[in-house]
Amino acid sequence: MDPTHAILFEPVKIGPVTAPNRFYQTPHATGLGWQRPQAGAALRGIKAEGGWGVVCTEYCSIHPTSDDSPHGFLTLWDDSDIPALALTADAIHAHGSLAGIELWHGGAHASNRMTRVPGISPDIQPAMFHLPTTARAMDASDIKAFRGWQRDAALRAKRAGFDIIYVYAGHDYLPFQFLSGRSNTRGDAYGGSLENRARLLREMIEDTKEAVGDTCAVAVRLAVDELHGPRGITSAGEGREVIEMLAELPDLWDVNIAGALGNDSKSARFSGEGFQEPYVAFVKSLTTKPVVSVGRFTSPETMVAQIKRGVQDFIGAARPSIADPFLPLKIREGRADEIRECIGCNMCRAANNEAVHLRCTQNPTMAEEWRQGWHPERIAVLPKRQKVLVVGAGPAGLEAALSLGRRGAEVSLAESGSALGGRILRESTLPGLGTWIRVRDWRAHMIGKLDNVQVYPGSEMTAGDIVDFGADHVVLATGSRWRRDGVGVTGMQVLDLPESLTPDDVFAGATVNGPAVIYDDEHYFMGGALAERLRAQGHPVCYVTPHAMASSWTALTDEQGFVQTQLLEAGVEIVASHLLVGQAAGVVRLACAYTGRVTERFCGTLIAVTGRLPVDDLYAPLMAAGIAVSRVGDCLQPSSIADAVYSAHRFARGFGAAVEPVLRREKPPLKGLL
C-alpha cells in the first residue's frame, strides 16, 4: 500500500460499532428489491469482499403506505421480511464489514401502486410521483403510528443482523417533507417554526436509538440543501440549523444535497469529482459524530484530501462502488492503477428508473453475481487454450479481448485505426463526456498486463486476411454507423436527405454551415451534446425532436432537466414535437407530431441523429468460408456503451461452453400449491 493512503484504512467508531476502514458504501438502489433477496445479498457481499468497511442496503420500506412499485425496494413490514434481509447482513458480515440498512418512508413520493393504500404526507398535496392522485395529511394519530412503524422496523433490522440503522430524511421523502417549509404548512406542533418542523426527525432519532442503540448505530441521512434557494432548506440556512439542533443525537451523519435524486447523483456531464463538498463541508464543524458524504470519488488522492481537510470521516460512495466493488482492496494492495473508475454516465440510475436490476457501463458483472455467478475480479480459465482474433478495438472489442485474455486464450486484437477506443474516441470529446474515455483507458491498461493478448493498431482486416490468419475463433466488434435516411425511434419512414450529415460526418471533420438543424430521433446524449458543441463553436443551432423535450431518454439518467437548461442557456433553439419529413435546397420540412401540419425552416446544414446500423460486412463472407465467427457489441446490436461492454463480456464468459447458460431466477416456493 502507498503509505500516503494509510489514513483511508483506519478504523472509525460509529456509536457502539466500529467500521474497519473509512470506505463507506452509502445506500443505493439495485432494482432487485424484496422479490430477489439472494441476488441482493450476493451483490452486497461482493462489495464487502472488495473491502468496503460499511456496506448499506437500498431503501427499505417500513410500512405498506410506502410502496414504490414497480421499482425494486426492500420491505420490513412484518417479521416475515427478516429472513430475506438476514441473507444480506450475513453476506456483508462474512467479509468483516458492517451492514447498514436504510429504513424508508416516501410520504407523498410513494406511489402505492401495489398496496393501493392512500399515501400520506405532512399536508394534503398531489402525489409527487406525477400520478393523478393526492396524498392525505397526517393527523396526530398517523404521526404516532408512523413513529411506531419506524421503531418496529428498526427492531426487525436489528434481529436481521444489521449494525447501522438509518433514519432517512433526504431526497424529498416523508421526514424531509416535514422538515421543509416548501412541503410543510401545518399549524400544529409539527409545523411552522423550524424547531416544530424538525420535531418528527428528532423523535425518529430518539425512538430508533431507544429501540436499538445498545448494540446498533443509528445514522441519519439528511439533505442539507434541496437546491430550491431560500424558499427551501439550504446549507447556509435551515440545513445548517438542523445540524446544530440535532448535532449529537445520531451516531453518524450521512449528508448530501437533494431536491431530487438527480441532484445527489448528478452525472459527470454536469459535475466533477467531489461536487457536493461546497454544500456539506460545514457539517463536521458542528458535531463530534462521524460524517459521510458522496461525490463520485474515484481518486485515492482526492479521498485522502477529504479526510485530511476535515470534510468527512468516511469516503462515501455509491456509483464508484458499482463501477469497482474492489476499489478499497486495490488501494490497500497498491493496485490503484487497476481501479475501474466510474465514468458518471448514470446508466445505473437509468436501470433504477426503468424498474430493472442494476447495470453499469464499466462493470458488466454488476447485479449478475447471483443470477449468472459472475465475479468482477475472477473468471474461469478455458479448459483448452484457443487462438482468438478480435476485430475492432472499441468498447466491445476491448472488453472481449481483455476477458478472453483473462480466460487464457491467445488473443490478437486488430484495430483499423491508429488508436484504440472506437466510438469512445469520438464521444468522449463532446461537452462534459471526457470521463467516458475511462472505458478505453482501463481496458487498454489491463490488456497491457497480459502476455497472451497482442494488440495491432492500424490493421484493417479483409475477409481474406481473417481467413488467412487462421484463428480458432473470430470475434467481430466492428461497431456501427449512423443512418442517413432519417429512420429513428419515432419516424420509421425512409427519407431522401441528399445533403444531410450524420454524427459520423461531424466527428470526421465535415464542414458545418449555419444555421445548423439537428434532428434528434434517438433521444439519448448525442443530439443534445452535438447541439451544445456546435453552439460553442459559434454556429446558430436549432434542435428538433419528435418528443416533447430535448434528449428525452436522459430523463432516465436523471440528466434531462440539466440538458435542456444547458441548451437553452447556450442559445440553442428547441423545436419539440416535430418530425423531419424532407429536405430541399436550403430548407428542411418539419411536420407537427400531432396534427401533421408541415412547415419549412431555413437550414444551412442538417445533421440527422436517428438510428444506427451494424457494421457487419465481414460476417457473411466469413460464415460462407466456414470460419467460426461471432459478433459482439454494436456490430451485433447498436446500443449504449454499457450494452456493448456487457455483450462482449457475456460472450467471453460463455465462450467454449457446450450450451448457453440459463439465467437463474428467484421464484416463490410452490409447495402445497400444485
Side-chain angles (χ1 to χ4, degrees):
M1 180 174 60
D2 184 333
T4 64
H5 301 155
I7 193 172
L8 300 173
F9 296 92
E10 296 173 345
V12 180
K13 188 172 175 59
I14 311 173
V17 298
T18 300
N21 59 44
R22 296 183 185 270
F23 290 95
Y24 194 114
Q25 183 250 278
T26 52
H28 71 75
T30 64
L32 299 170
W34 59 270
Q35 299 97 326
R36 291 175 284 275
Q38 295 177 91
L43 185 152
R44 302 297 178 185
I46 287 288
K47 303 284 193 77
E49 183 185 344
W52 296 88
V54 178
V55 178
C56 297
T57 70
E58 60 263 61
Y59 58 155
C60 180
S61 172
I62 63 174
H63 191 264
T65 52
S66 186
D67 159 31
D68 209 29
S69 300
H71 302 285
F73 62 102
L74 300 176
T75 55
L76 268 176
W77 292 352
D78 56 45
D79 288 356
S80 67
D81 285 317
I82 294 174
L85 283 167
L87 291 176
T88 292
D90 290 345
I92 295 169
H93 290 153
H95 300 283
S97 303
L98 296 181
I101 185 167
E102 185 180 52
L103 302 184
W104 166 77
H105 198 293
H109 248 301
S111 61
N112 297 348
R113 286 181 174 92
M114 177 180 67
T115 61
R116 299 195 71 181
V117 297
I120 56 176
S121 66
D123 292 308
I124 297 174
Q125 65 177 88
M128 298 169 73
F129 204 81
H130 309 295
L131 297 174
T133 188
T134 301
R136 66 178 182 84
M138 297 170 68
D139 60 23
S141 64
D142 293 319
I143 291 174
K144 181 180 180 181
F146 170 76
R147 291 175 59 186
W149 303 337
Q150 170 73 21
R151 181 186 178 89
D152 290 346
L155 288 169
R156 292 183 184 115
K158 178 180 177 179
R159 287 171 56 192
F162 287 91
D163 309 290
I164 303 172
I165 315 294
Y166 264 78
V167 173
Y168 190 6
H171 300 128
D172 277 344
Y173 295 135
L174 185 60
F176 191 83
Q177 291 163 27
F178 270 87
L179 199 60
S180 174
R182 294 179 57 250
S183 49
N184 181 354
T185 60
R186 300 173 67 98
D188 62 3
Y190 290 90
S193 68
L194 179 61
E195 183 177 4
N196 280 358
R197 285 182 276 124
R199 187 182 305 277
L200 182 61
L201 177 56
R202 178 188 291 275
E203 291 173 342
M204 291 176 70
I205 300 170
E206 292 171 343
D207 291 343
T208 306
K209 291 208 75 170
E210 182 183 339
V212 303
D214 54 338
T215 57
C216 300
V218 174
V220 171
R221 196 176 203 188
L222 176 69
V224 296
D225 200 312
E226 52 183 322
L227 303 184
H228 286 294
R231 63 196 185 99
I233 301 291
T234 66
S235 57
E238 290 188 340
R240 183 183 187 93
E241 293 175 41
V242 171
I243 298 289
E244 290 175 330
M245 193 181 301
L246 307 176
E248 300 302 309
L249 271 184
D251 297 308
L252 175 136
W253 286 99
D254 179 345
V255 290
N256 57 19
I257 56 177
L261 280 166
N263 293 322
D264 186 22
S265 56
K266 191 178 289 188
S267 73
R269 187 173 174 183
F270 302 102
S271 66
E273 185 176 13
F275 68 96
Q276 298 204 27
E277 181 178 336
Y279 300 95
V280 304
F282 73 91
V283 176
K284 265 192 66 62
S285 67
L286 301 180
T287 179
T288 65
K289 302 303 176 72
V291 174
V292 63
S293 188
V294 294
R296 215 172 53 253
F297 299 110
T298 60
S299 162
E301 286 67 38
T302 301
M303 298 175 192
V304 169
Q306 288 279 302
I307 305 302
K308 288 188 172 181
R309 290 191 293 107
V311 179
Q312 53 184 322
D313 299 284
F314 289 97
I315 299 303
R319 289 172 291 176
S321 75
I322 295 168
D324 197 336
F326 277 67
L327 181 153
L329 193 61
K330 289 176 180 178
I331 296 174
R332 187 178 193 111
E333 294 179 350
R335 298 187 291 125
D337 64 306
E338 297 184 8
I339 294 173
R340 191 190 293 111
E341 291 185 280
C342 172
I343 69 171
C345 64
N346 277 11
M347 272 295 172
C348 51
R349 290 293 307 136
N352 180 73
N353 289 329
E354 289 180 310
V356 296
H357 73 266
L358 197 58
R359 59 179 177 262
C360 176
T361 297
Q362 281 282 61
N363 178 12
T365 70
M366 181 51 52
E368 305 292 351
E369 300 88 355
W370 182 84
R371 77 169 187 167
Q372 299 202 70
W374 292 0
H375 190 283
E377 301 297 311
R378 295 195 294 270
I379 190 169
V381 174
L382 289 166
K384 176 185 176 183
R385 190 169 181 124
Q386 298 193 50
K387 183 180 178 182
V388 181
L389 172 64
V390 178
V391 183
L398 288 166
E399 178 63 33
L402 174 60
S403 296
L404 289 168
R406 291 173 63 202
R407 295 201 66 192
E410 182 184 336
V411 180
S412 297
L413 175 60
E415 165 56 41
S416 61
S418 59
L420 308 182
R423 61 183 284 189
I424 304 169
L425 291 175
R426 302 182 293 274
E427 292 170 8
S428 63
T429 66
L430 291 169
L433 302 187
T435 57
W436 290 24
I437 199 66
R438 293 173 177 176
V439 175
R440 188 274 311 264
D441 289 350
W442 181 80
R443 285 164 178 79
H445 178 70
M446 297 303 291
I447 285 172
K449 292 175 178 277
L450 298 176
D451 294 334
N452 56 319
V453 180
Q454 303 301 315
V455 181
Y456 301 97
S459 301
E460 186 164 357
M461 305 286 287
T462 66
D465 294 332
I466 294 172
V467 171
D468 292 343
F469 189 84
D472 297 316
H473 200 97
V474 176
V475 180
L476 297 180
T478 42
S480 64
R481 64 179 181 273
W482 288 90
R483 301 181 69 133
R484 295 185 177 278
D485 55 10
V487 174
V489 173
T490 308
M492 298 298 292
Q493 180 182 357
V494 174
L495 302 174
D496 181 19
L497 305 173
E499 299 179 18
S500 67
L501 300 179
T502 69
D504 294 328
D505 299 321
V506 177
F507 286 125
T511 300
V512 175
N513 298 311
V517 174
I518 294 178
Y519 178 63
D520 185 3
D521 196 14
E522 191 237 9
H523 312 290
Y524 186 25
F525 68 90
M526 183 60 74
L530 274 179
E532 187 180 340
R533 173 171 162 174
L534 292 176
R535 189 71 192 96
Q537 293 172 349
H539 296 288
V541 179
C542 175
Y543 170 97
V544 181
T545 176
H547 284 195
M549 61 183 70
S551 303
S552 59
W553 196 83
T554 63
L556 295 170
T557 56
D558 293 336
E559 296 176 289
Q560 196 284 323
F562 300 115
V563 171
Q564 187 133 349
T565 298
Q566 196 139 302
L567 291 178
L568 292 171
E569 289 181 344
V572 174
E573 180 186 2
I574 297 176
V575 177
S577 303
H578 276 75
L579 288 155
L580 176 67
V581 293
Q583 180 186 27
V587 298
V588 292
R589 289 190 292 274
L590 307 176
C592 174
Y594 299 101
T595 67
R597 184 174 60 198
V598 175
T599 57
E600 290 190 344
R601 173 175 287 268
F602 176 57
C603 172
T605 303
L606 170 64
I607 302 171
V609 183
T610 54
R612 285 181 288 146
L613 295 169
V615 178
D616 59 356
D617 312 61
L618 295 169
Y619 184 68
L622 292 176
M623 288 287 288
I627 301 297
V629 59
S630 301
R631 293 168 291 177
V632 296
D634 287 350
C635 176
L636 177 65
Q637 175 200 13
S639 188
S640 65
I641 297 174
D643 285 345
V645 170
Y646 179 87
S647 166
H649 190 83
R650 184 170 181 266
F651 167 80
R653 290 268 182 178
F655 181 64
V659 295
E660 186 170 333
V662 176
L663 295 177
R664 297 171 74 193
R665 291 174 292 157
E666 299 192 48
K667 302 175 183 179
L670 299 179
K671 185 178 180 180
L673 298 180
L674 298 178

